[in-house]
Amino acid sequence: MDIYKNHVSGILILKKINETTHRVVLTSDFGNKLIDFEISETDFKLNYVLPDMDKKIVINFLKNDFRELLRQQYPVTETFENGNSNIYLSKIDQKEYYLFFNKENKLLKQIVYTKNSKEKIDFTFDAKKHIFADSLNLQHKDYKINIKLFQITENE
């Protein structure tokens, strides 16, 4: 995770608690807990945050980014296509989401979140199955924030 010129690496654990709520825990490479929260579309519960990360701006970025990432429903209003992708536009309040699905394997490969016609966040996925992403790159367009997540399997 790169926030401005600061780099944080570790292990992110994401667990679905029920139909609407996920628990997100970020630990250091050595297993020390950095942040632990539960999030749904309407609720946010901070269970723990390392004092150095206990900044309102950091908490809000993580809360908003994971809320967008874990959104489960995108009502489609328009469809497009380009050479490689079927593109679905979803409009929710003042927000627009462009969902790019690979034409060959039908897997989600990118979500571009825009607000007031300006690109805000680009979520890019690399996946072999519909259920899990092997990697995720979350790139803010108006802030120097980049989060890269990689799935760790038992063989690694």
Side-chain angles (χ1 to χ4, degrees):
M1 182 176 343
D2 295 311
I3 301 174
Y4 296 97
K5 294 182 181 179
N6 298 309
H7 179 77
V8 176
S9 69
I11 298 171
L12 180 88
I13 302 162
L14 182 64
K15 182 177 181 181
K16 191 170 188 173
I17 295 174
N18 59 42
E19 285 302 311
T20 60
T21 306
H22 289 79
R23 185 163 184 182
V24 179
V25 179
L26 177 64
T27 67
S28 71
D29 291 330
F30 295 107
N32 298 329
K33 194 183 304 184
L34 303 174
I35 191 165
D36 176 353
F37 59 89
E38 295 174 23
I39 190 165
S40 72
E41 199 168 312
T42 56
D43 295 321
F44 180 80
K45 178 184 172 193
L46 186 61
N47 297 321
Y48 175 81
V49 62
L50 186 72
D52 289 346
M53 290 183 67
D54 194 6
K55 309 278 188 270
K56 188 174 183 178
I57 192 166
V58 173
I59 303 297
N60 283 336
F61 266 111
L62 291 171
K63 176 173 74 172
N64 294 332
D65 288 353
F66 277 92
R67 187 165 278 151
E68 294 300 338
L69 176 64
L70 297 171
R71 180 178 297 280
Q72 295 183 31
Q73 298 197 359
Y74 294 93
V76 175
T77 56
E78 294 181 52
T79 59
F80 316 94
E81 67 177 81
N82 64 20
N84 302 330
S85 302
N86 291 319
I87 305 163
Y88 301 91
L89 171 61
S90 177
K91 294 181 181 180
I92 303 169
D93 300 323
Q94 301 296 323
K95 303 172 185 178
E96 293 182 342
Y97 302 87
Y98 293 87
L99 291 87
F100 293 76
F101 285 83
N102 184 305
K103 281 185 178 179
E104 290 180 19
N105 61 18
K106 310 287 190 234
L107 296 175
L108 179 65
K109 66 178 186 178
Q110 184 179 23
I111 299 173
V112 177
Y113 159 56
T114 66
K115 189 172 182 182
N116 300 323
S117 300
K118 292 186 179 182
E119 191 172 331
K120 295 293 183 180
I121 306 173
D122 180 343
F123 298 94
T124 304
F125 305 90
D126 181 27
K128 295 180 188 105
K129 298 179 182 178
H130 290 281
I131 300 171
F132 294 108
D134 296 315
S135 68
L136 163 68
N137 187 31
L138 183 155
Q139 177 71 52
H140 278 264
K141 298 301 181 175
D142 47 0
Y143 298 99
K144 293 181 181 178
I145 297 175
N146 186 29
I147 299 173
K148 293 181 181 179
L149 304 173
F150 301 95
Q151 181 183 13
I152 298 174
T153 62
E154 290 182 27
N155 299 339
E156 294 180 17

